[in-house]
């Protein structure tokens, strides 16, 4: 594996304060974990100003969650879906209606007296159906209902590898050919690596073949987490949320068609200094990678340099664009944050 780091140079910093007042549409009642905090936008390369700049409007749109994850934009409904993993729920947010429970249970369908993690990553397939990374049920599942009438009825897409149950699928993505890949760390197991129900001795990245066969493609990361593909060269980005090796890796097919990985960035030295680990990530049509990680959002250029950072004191878990790439939605611990973007190069 080739190792590269791109420290960058500070050009501009701006402070944006989030409103600490709990809104009426808070999706969870009770005391909120968050407190007043400051978000800063740091520009490191001028080219990224085509997408985001220091004047970006930042707004908290949901509060009071246990742990927000799995952000996904629904174009037809102009709505955002996101998971509250420990609460086994998916919420829906709209500008007009705020947040409300959209699907429950979302990722664990076993006995109610047993506490298990719910849904995590949420993905749409080419038919516009919802694919869910279900921690508690330890599978990739398709919701067997339309998006405008959700019900907790699921069809299993993948739940094992070589006759062993998966750990707890975390995130997934389709490449440009329509192949589906997903990550499988042990976060949904109560005892994680030491859980007696764990059947696979590593945390893998997998591809689901056309015949439903689950194929392991990466087994070298201890905590593979977020996954996304580049629209330009079909490179695969994977976040590794191991606090002892907090990295992002960029994979691309070699001459034999096998995935060859190189280090995109190593942020391990920041783990003890700021909140968060490499987690969910999305790729803008221009090729810029928006990755949650230590200290907030890291924005990498198509040529693998750090172009900008959105500094968020709370641990960030995932992010998603809306359909015209004018906003970035960020799941940050107990909140969901919206950041305005420029859509000059949205790839329309």
């Amino acid at each position: 594996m080739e190792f590269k780091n791109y420290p960058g140079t500070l050009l501009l910093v701006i402070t944006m304060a989030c409103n600490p007042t709990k809104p009426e549409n808070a999706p969870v009642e009770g005391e909120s974990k968050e407190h007043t905090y400051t978000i800063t936008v740091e520009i490191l390369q001028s080219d990224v100003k085509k997408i985001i700049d220091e004047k970006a409007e930042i707004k908290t749109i949901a509060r009071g969650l246990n742990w927000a994850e799995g952000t996904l934009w629904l174009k037809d409904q102009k709505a955002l879906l996101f998971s509250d993993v420990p609460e086994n729920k998916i919420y829906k947010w709209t500008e007009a209606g705020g947040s409300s429970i959209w699907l429950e249970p979302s990722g664990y369908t076993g006995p109610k007296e047993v506490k298990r993690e719910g849904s995590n990553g949420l993905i749409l397939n080419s038919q516009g159906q919802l694919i869910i990374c279900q921690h508690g049920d330890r599978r990739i599942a398709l919701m067997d209902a339309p998006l405008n009438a959700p019900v907790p009825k699921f069809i299993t897409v993948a739940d094992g590898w070589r006759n062993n149950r998966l750990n707890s699928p975390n995130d997934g993505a389709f490449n440009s050919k329509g192949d589906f890949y997903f990550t499988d760390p042990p976060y949904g197991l109560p005892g994680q690596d030491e859980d007696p129900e764990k059947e696979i001795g590593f945390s893998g990245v997998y591809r689901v073949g056309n015949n439903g066969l689950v194929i392991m493609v990466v087994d070298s990361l201890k905590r593979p987490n977020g996954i996304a593909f580049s629209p330009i060269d079909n490179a695969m980005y994977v976040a590794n949320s191991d606090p002892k090796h907090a990295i992002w890796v960029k994979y691309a097919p070699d001459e034999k068609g096998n995935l060859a990985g190189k280090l995109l960035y190593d942020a391990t030295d920041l783990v003890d200094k700021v909140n968060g680990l490499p987690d969910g990530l999305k790729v803008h049509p221009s090729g810029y990678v928006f990755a949650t990680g230590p200290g907030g959002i890291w924005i990498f250029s198509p040529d693998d340099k750090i172009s900008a950072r959105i500094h968020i004191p709370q641990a960030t878990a995932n992010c998603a664009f809306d359909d015209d790439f004018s906003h970035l939605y960020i799941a940050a611990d107990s909140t969901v944050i919206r950041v305005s973007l420029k859509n000059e190069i949205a790839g329309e």
Side-chain angles (χ1 to χ4, degrees):
M1 183 179 291
E2 181 183 354
F3 297 95
K4 294 182 180 180
N5 275 358
Y6 299 99
T9 303
L10 176 64
L11 296 179
L12 290 167
V13 178
I14 184 169
T15 300
M16 300 289 292
C18 287
N19 184 351
T21 303
K22 188 174 181 179
E24 293 180 357
N25 64 348
V28 179
E29 295 300 325
E31 184 177 357
S32 175
K33 293 189 297 181
E34 72 270 4
H35 51 80
T36 303
Y37 59 89
T38 300
I39 296 176
T40 63
V41 176
E42 181 183 11
I43 302 298
L44 300 171
Q45 289 188 312
S46 59
D47 284 353
V48 80
K49 286 190 174 185
K50 293 179 290 187
I51 300 174
I52 187 172
D53 64 24
E54 59 277 1
K55 297 180 181 179
E57 180 185 10
I58 302 173
K59 180 180 180 181
T60 299
I61 63 169
R63 297 180 183 273
L65 298 153
N66 195 331
W67 178 251
E69 255 284 8
T71 45
L72 173 68
W73 183 257
L74 302 182
K75 178 180 179 180
D76 292 342
Q77 299 185 36
K78 297 296 182 183
L80 182 76
L81 298 183
F82 54 90
S83 299
D84 191 337
V85 182
E87 301 304 319
N88 199 15
K89 300 173 183 177
I90 294 174
Y91 285 90
K92 175 183 173 181
W93 174 90
T94 64
E95 189 76 56
S99 300
S100 60
I101 296 174
W102 186 77
L103 186 69
E104 182 185 13
S106 65
Y108 174 65
T109 57
K112 292 183 178 180
E113 62 270 17
V114 177
K115 179 70 173 178
R116 289 290 186 272
E117 303 283 291
S119 61
N120 197 311
L122 308 175
I123 309 100
L124 292 181
N125 65 15
S126 59
Q127 287 78 47
Q129 299 167 302
L130 182 65
I131 294 177
I132 304 174
C133 297
Q134 295 187 318
H135 268 355
D137 284 348
R138 301 170 66 179
R139 64 179 175 174
I140 300 292
L142 184 146
M143 185 181 73
D144 190 20
L147 297 177
N148 59 2
V151 293
K153 182 181 178 183
F154 308 106
I155 297 172
T156 298
V157 175
D159 62 0
W161 176 73
R162 293 186 176 179
N163 297 317
N164 293 305
R165 289 191 70 188
L166 297 172
N167 296 324
S168 57
N170 192 283
D171 201 5
F174 287 93
N175 66 8
S176 62
K177 297 179 181 179
D179 300 318
F180 184 71
Y181 290 72
F182 68 92
T183 59
D184 187 42
Y187 292 127
L189 295 171
Q192 297 198 21
D193 279 332
E194 307 304 319
D195 196 284
E197 296 185 4
K198 191 175 189 291
E199 298 182 16
I200 299 176
F202 61 91
S203 296
V205 180
Y206 299 90
R207 176 171 63 86
V208 181
N210 293 330
N211 58 359
L213 180 67
V214 177
I215 303 162
M216 188 270 293
V217 296
V218 177
D219 64 355
S220 57
L221 299 175
K222 186 175 181 180
R223 291 289 189 273
N225 199 314
I227 183 170
F229 286 90
S230 166
I232 297 176
D233 58 6
N234 213 31
M236 181 176 76
Y237 297 92
V238 179
N240 187 48
S241 52
D242 177 6
K244 296 181 179 179
H245 199 205
I247 62 173
W248 294 277
V249 183
K250 182 179 182 179
Y251 295 90
D254 60 19
E255 61 276 4
K256 296 182 180 180
N258 300 314
L259 285 174
K262 71 171 185 177
L263 182 69
L264 177 63
Y265 195 80
D266 188 339
T268 307
D269 62 338
L270 294 176
V271 170
D272 294 330
K273 302 174 183 177
V274 293
N275 289 322
L277 292 165
D279 204 318
L281 67 162
K282 296 294 187 296
V283 184
H284 191 273
S286 60
Y288 283 86
V289 180
F290 286 66
T292 63
I297 298 287
W298 298 64
I299 304 175
F300 298 98
S301 66
D303 59 353
D304 304 340
K305 295 180 173 63
I306 302 174
S307 294
R309 291 182 62 185
I310 305 172
H311 296 277
I312 304 172
Q314 293 201 120
T316 57
N318 216 323
C319 60
F321 302 107
D322 56 16
D323 57 283
D324 64 358
F325 301 93
S326 60
H327 294 96
L328 177 73
Y329 293 88
I330 305 168
D333 198 337
S334 57
T335 64
V336 178
I337 299 164
R338 184 177 68 182
V339 180
S340 65
L341 302 176
K342 297 179 178 180
N343 56 359
E344 297 175 15
I345 49 175
E348 297 269 340

